[in-house]
Amino acid sequence: MDYLITGGAGFIGSHLTEALLARGDGVVVLDDLSTGSIRNIEPFRDNPRFNYQIDTVENRSLVAELVDRVDAVFHLAAAVGVRLVVENPVRTLETNLRTTEVVLEMANKKQRPVLLASTSEVYGKSTKVPFHEDDPSAIGPPTLSRWGYACSKLMDEFLGQAYWHEYGLPVIVVRYFNTVGPRQTGRYGMVLPTFVRQALANQPLTVHGDGAQTRSFGYVGDVVRGSMALMDAGERAHGAIVNLGNEEEISIRALAERVVARAESRSEIVLIPYDQAYGAGFEDMQRRVPDLSRAEALVGYAPQVGLDAIIDHVIAHYRTGGQL
Ligand code: UDP
């Protein structure tokens, strides 16, 4: 099979590219390198089944041409990272809304299945854990730009559902929960690469707030396998919205302690008020845990890599010259 991966030079996209090429598929990557990196796709350049285009997904004629050449589309291109989202709200909203509009319109013309990458952000401040796909969202007010990201991805999901219901376009939505692993950069605020960089440099680990907020970190290899299985599942998965990640929950304070221990670092842990980290009026969610029962029922999804192994993989990646 041949696949188009938008955002294929990004963190998750490059792992997906690698896995598809490894099983013998063809991949064309479309990426504008805004947050992705050419380094991520460098190793695939000599593979005859790999092609790439450095351009924006807003380039309608190019997307039309690429969609025509493939059997299915993974749409991963998006503005990502809480820091980027808070600092560039216009770009975040426009990128997330426009790219998905173009991908769905062009895929619909050729009836190509689309997997839309969404996010656990869409659950917002919901306090009902674990989060199930049919739960309502608890998104905060438009005055706080963080929620614009959640809202833009939720609109993408609505548009995907609309194409499925109105035109029968096979669309699968996956909600990734704090995906982590080698090649993820800390530049846009993500916590694990930031902590690992700080720990390896014996600098203080910057825990936001009181560190009692929790997350559940999914290994990139697990969620990539889950995404491929959902695409491979065919009709069974069409129209579905599916959480992907890992149920293991940890507070950010405990994560910092775990990283310091596993990196055998001399770093101390410091608390940074949210206002200082993200500007005034920032809202965070206190807990975030996925309900993975739908992914399990649909494709037998079960995460294989636990948090200690994840931290070790990330540390090893950076110790052997990987970028942060
Ligand atoms: N965080 C932190 N220190 C950092 C970066 C992030 O304490 O240097 C916190 C952040 O405030 C949030 C959690 O770690 O509570 C996860 O942040 P990330 O940006 O990785 O993902 P998201 O907020 O989207 O879950």
Side-chain angles (χ1 to χ4, degrees):
M1 298 279 276
D2 288 313
Y3 296 96
L4 168 62
I5 306 182
T6 71
F11 161 53
I12 302 176
S14 65
H15 282 275
L16 177 62
T17 300
E18 190 174 359
L20 290 169
L21 290 173
R23 74 173 191 187
D25 291 318
V27 174
V28 44
V29 161
L30 175 59
D31 199 303
D32 67 359
L33 302 182
S34 51
T35 55
S37 164
I38 199 80
R39 264 194 320 271
N40 288 342
I41 52 173
E42 196 88 29
F44 319 131
R45 273 177 159 178
D46 293 335
N47 189 320
R49 285 179 280 103
F50 177 72
N51 286 289
Y52 69 97
Q53 292 273 348
I54 306 303
D55 208 329
T56 164
V57 184
E58 291 176 48
N59 183 339
R60 295 166 53 81
S61 55
L62 177 62
V63 173
E65 186 193 318
L66 296 179
V67 165
D68 195 34
R69 275 168 37 191
V70 299
D71 300 296
V73 182
F74 289 94
H75 175 45
L76 272 62
V80 290
V82 174
R83 185 167 310 285
L84 181 77
V85 163
V86 169
E87 287 171 3
N88 298 297
V90 173
R91 180 173 144 209
T92 298
L93 294 173
E94 290 184 349
T95 301
N96 292 355
L97 296 169
R98 286 178 183 165
T99 58
T100 305
E101 272 179 28
V102 173
V103 166
L104 288 171
E105 182 190 338
M106 299 311 167
N108 190 45
K109 284 192 177 146
K110 303 287 173 186
Q111 282 292 303
R112 299 290 192 268
V114 180
L115 181 140
L116 288 185
S118 187
T119 165
S120 53
E121 276 281 315
V122 301
Y123 292 102
K125 299 179 284 183
S126 172
T127 52
K128 181 196 157 289
V129 284
F131 297 163
H132 186 271
E133 293 89 342
D134 297 333
D135 292 340
S137 299
I139 293 177
T143 41
L144 303 179
S145 49
R146 177 199 192 132
W147 302 119
Y149 171 65
C151 212
S152 65
K153 295 305 291 184
L154 201 55
M155 266 310 297
D156 288 349
E157 293 193 13
F158 274 114
L159 196 61
Q161 288 287 307
Y163 268 93
W164 163 242
H165 289 301
E166 202 169 329
Y167 301 122
L169 179 70
V171 176
I172 306 155
V173 170
V174 295
R175 292 178 174 168
Y176 296 128
F177 278 67
N178 290 82
T179 307
V180 288
R183 290 185 212 147
Q184 183 177 38
T185 170
R187 222 174 301 143
Y188 309 106
M190 278 77 156
V191 68
L192 186 59
T194 302
F195 282 179
V196 168
R197 176 176 51 77
Q198 292 166 336
L200 293 183
N202 291 309
Q203 290 167 351
L205 270 64
T206 50
V207 169
H208 299 160
D210 62 4
Q213 72 274 27
T214 72
R215 295 294 188 273
S216 309
F217 294 91
Y219 188 60
V220 65
D222 282 328
V223 306
V224 158
R225 227 183 24 258
S227 303
M228 287 162 61
L230 285 162
M231 183 66 101
D232 294 343
E235 273 182 26
R236 241 172 340 124
H238 294 165
I241 296 177
V242 188
N243 291 337
L244 285 180
N246 191 314
E247 289 144 327
E248 194 179 338
E249 183 184 16
I250 186 168
S251 75
I252 297 303
R253 167 91 208 193
L255 177 72
E257 286 162 3
R258 198 85 80 89
V259 169
V260 167
R262 298 200 81 80
E264 295 175 342
S265 165
R266 295 190 304 278
S267 294
E268 51 174 358
I269 293 168
V270 295
L271 300 182
I272 310 277
Y274 280 112
D275 285 5
Q276 209 172 305
Y278 298 115
F282 182 81
E283 286 183 340
D284 203 5
M285 57 282 303
Q286 272 311 105
R287 291 183 69 190
R288 180 188 278 165
V289 186
D291 178 332
L292 297 175
S293 53
R294 182 172 291 169
E296 192 191 350
L298 274 174
V299 293
Y301 175 81
Q304 306 291 314
V305 185
L307 190 55
D308 284 343
I310 292 175
I311 294 171
D312 292 349
H313 282 314
V314 175
I315 291 172
H317 177 71
Y318 297 122
R319 281 210 168 119
T320 54
Q323 304 278 324
L324 281 158

